[in-house]
Structures are given as C-alpha cells and as structure tokens.
Amino acid sequence: MKQKGINSFANQRIWVIGASSGIGEACTKAFIKAGAKVALSSRRTERLSTLAQFGGPEKTLVLPLDVTQQEQLNCAYQDIQEAWGGLDLLLFVSGVYTPLRADNFNFDIAQKTIDANLLGPMRAVGLVLPDMLKSHTGHIAIVGSVAGYSGLPKALAYGPSKAGVINFCETLYYDLLPQGVSVHMISPGFVATEATAQNDFEMPALITADEAAKEILAGIQSGEFDIHFPKRFSGFLKFLRILPYPLYFWIVRRFVKI
Ligand SMILES: NC(=O)c1ccc[n+]([C@@H]2O[C@H](COP(=O)([O-])OP(=O)(O)OC[C@H]3O[C@@H](n4cnc5c(N)ncnc54)[C@H](OP(=O)(O)O)[C@@H]3O)[C@@H](O)[C@H]2O)c1
C-alpha cells in the first residue's frame, strides 16, 4: 500500500508553519507559484505580510503565532477553517537550533528546543488530525533533520528534538496509512539559511533553500514518506547509522571537525 501524493498544488489549501524565513519561506513561494492557497504562520508578522504579497489576499492568509502556544495555533486553525472550509496540507517547518555541547549544556535551552521542535509539531498535528481522520484525506509534512538520525556533535538538545520528530512521523505513518492520510517526514542536510549562517565550520553538501523547497514539493507530490536530501549527504548519514557504534563514533570523530 502506498500513500497518496498531490498531483497538482493548484488551489490546494496549505498551512506553512515557519514561513517567515529559510526553507519555509522558499516552500511558501513555491506553493504560491504553483497556484496553491497558503496560510503563512510564524512569529514575525511583518515578514509574513511581505511574503504574502506574492500571492495576494485571494491566495494567502497571514496567521502569526508562536508554536509553543497552543491557543495561538487553535485560533489560526479556526481562521483557516472559516476562510477555506478545510486544509489539504500541513507543512510544519518551524524550528530552532542552539549549538550545545556537554561543556555548555543548558537545561533551559534544551527545554525551549524540545518545546518548539518536538512539542510544536505535536500541537499542530493534534489540531488537524481529527478533521483529516474524519474525511480520510489530507497530508501532514514535518521537517525534522538528518541530525535526528543519530548523535552528532553540538546537537545535545537539537538532536534529541529531531530524533523525536523522526519517531513521531514513523508512528504517525503507521497509524495514518490505512486511514488515507499521508505523512511526509522531511530530513534535510545542510541548507543555507539564517539558522546555519551562525555555523563556524564548512558545511558539507550545502544546498540553497530553493533547492530544499524543490525536493520537498517533489517528495510531497509523489507521496513519499521519507523525503531526505541532498542524497549524497543524507544517504551517507543513513549508512553511518546502521554501523556498529564503535565504527560509527570513530568515523564521526575522524571526519566531523567541529
Ligand atoms: N538549514 C539547515 O541546514 C537545516 C537542516 C536540517 C533541518 N533544518 C530544519 O529546517 C527547519 C527550517 O529551518 P531554516 O534553516 O529554514 O531556519 P530559519 O530560517 O531560522 O527558519 C526557522 C523558522 O522557524 C520559525 N520559528 C522558530 N521558532 C518559532 C516559534 N516558536 N513559533 C513559530 N515559528 C517559529 C521562524 O519564524 P519566526 O522567527 O518568525 O517565528 C522561521 O520561520 C527547522 O525545523 C530546522 O531545524 C534546517
């Protein structure tokens, strides 16, 4: 059994959470270009409003919110229901990254990271699930990261948050496939955005946000569950995670100089 894709994004009702910059912004532009109706969410209202001008009021809704606040998500979803009468695709892109190692571990940062990156998608998915289950249609796409595959340096909070996203998507897929609701787990490698601009090391196989958006739209369109890119990097990390731990850690120490 294969899950459904989306033949054409024209007039699809899409909610992008984390639309104000980077990968989310690039996906939003691509969806608008493809003729979709897009609801744009994140905290920075001005950036969302500027981006919405690409589609105009007929095709876009600006719904500012913080993913750590359930009430704000509830209100936004209600606005979408009132404006469009339903939702075809939830794309949860929003995420935060603070480099953390054992010598600067900070519980407060870890809690905020898990709250935004793991509990955020859970809050949003919890909202849209009842309607999608009732209609046996719809798509849930969540951006995780290859950093969730297995432990990597400087990711003492980010890594666990993304590992949680991967497990959440896998478990959702298991439950939703027989129900006709598609799940798309998105695991990018390095993408040049505001988030990675802070990195002080050379990022292997770095791609642009537009390239990432192209991969994401193509993966959703063809109904893929496991959307990962660029393959030359994500495929290598997939291989590393099946190695025995001594070999895995040896390779990471040898090649990851951060
Ligand atoms: N860039 C990479 O190399 C890379 C690699 C793997 C995975 N990822 C993942 O890709 C996603 C997008 O990252 P990006 O690189 O495009 O970074 P980015 O440009 O910093 O974008 C992050 C987005 O998340 C939103 N956001 C953050 N905290 C939020 C909150 N509490 N409530 C609502 N929105 C919030 C931001 O909007 P506001 O500030 O307006 O709220 C922004 O739209 C993240 O989940 C990231 O972990 C990125």
Side-chain angles (χ1 to χ4, degrees):
M1 189 155 58
K2 195 178 182 293
Q3 64 176 7
K4 279 177 252 161
I6 298 180
N7 284 341
S8 160
F9 290 112
N11 288 319
Q12 290 289 299
R13 299 159 298 181
I14 299 173
W15 187 11
V16 181
I17 301 182
S20 61
S21 63
I23 299 170
E25 178 182 4
C27 287
T28 300
K29 282 184 179 162
F31 284 134
I32 291 174
K33 217 170 146 193
K37 292 179 174 171
V38 188
L40 291 73
S41 291
S42 79
R43 294 164 301 181
R44 287 172 290 177
T45 312
E46 260 180 44
R47 291 184 67 143
L48 297 177
S49 302
T50 307
L51 186 54
Q53 287 169 8
F54 282 98
E58 296 285 297
K59 291 279 189 187
T60 56
L61 291 172
V62 174
L63 305 171
L65 57 83
D66 184 325
V67 298
T68 64
Q69 306 299 316
Q70 182 72 58
E71 196 47 44
Q72 295 180 16
L73 283 157
N74 296 354
C75 290
Y77 186 56
Q78 203 175 324
D79 287 348
I80 291 172
Q81 291 292 350
E82 280 165 18
W84 297 339
L87 182 72
D88 300 302
L89 165 64
L90 165 69
L91 173 61
F92 192 101
V93 196
S94 163
V96 291
Y97 169 62
T98 306
L100 269 191
R101 299 191 89 127
D103 59 3
N104 70 339
F105 186 70
N106 178 314
F107 179 77
D108 192 41
I109 292 173
Q111 196 170 27
K112 286 190 171 125
T113 304
I114 302 280
D115 198 5
N117 293 6
L118 178 57
L119 300 182
M122 286 182 170
R123 289 184 187 98
V125 168
L127 259 180
V128 305
L129 260 182
D131 290 326
M132 289 188 177
L133 280 171
K134 213 182 292 167
S135 62
H136 296 283
T137 59
H139 296 254
I140 293 171
I142 306 176
V143 175
S145 169
V146 294
Y149 287 171
S150 38
L152 288 171
K154 283 196 176 175
L156 214 39
Y158 184 75
S161 76
K162 295 299 188 176
V165 166
I166 289 173
N167 198 294
F168 183 55
C169 288
E170 289 166 347
T171 311
L172 266 182
Y173 178 73
Y174 184 79
D175 284 348
L176 295 182
L177 183 65
Q179 299 296 326
V181 179
S182 299
V183 178
H184 309 279
M185 175 179 76
I186 300 162
S187 308
F190 287 111
V191 183
T193 64
E194 286 172 23
T196 46
Q198 62 178 320
N199 288 346
D200 54 2
F201 55 91
E202 198 180 317
M203 292 174 271
L206 183 70
I207 60 170
T208 66
D210 286 338
E211 286 170 319
K214 214 170 151 189
E215 295 273 2
I216 292 171
L217 267 69
I220 294 173
Q221 206 146 23
S222 61
E224 272 173 54
F225 165 67
D226 185 12
I227 302 172
H228 62 99
F229 53 83
K231 296 277 188 301
R232 61 190 186 279
F233 186 60
S234 54
F236 177 60
L237 288 178
K238 268 176 182 285
F239 164 69
L240 285 190
R241 76 174 167 172
I242 60 168
L243 295 176
Y245 277 131
L247 195 52
Y248 171 76
F249 286 122
W250 183 82
I251 292 174
V252 173
R253 276 190 204 287
R254 177 95 171 66
F255 292 103
V256 185
K257 299 285 178 213
I258 59 175

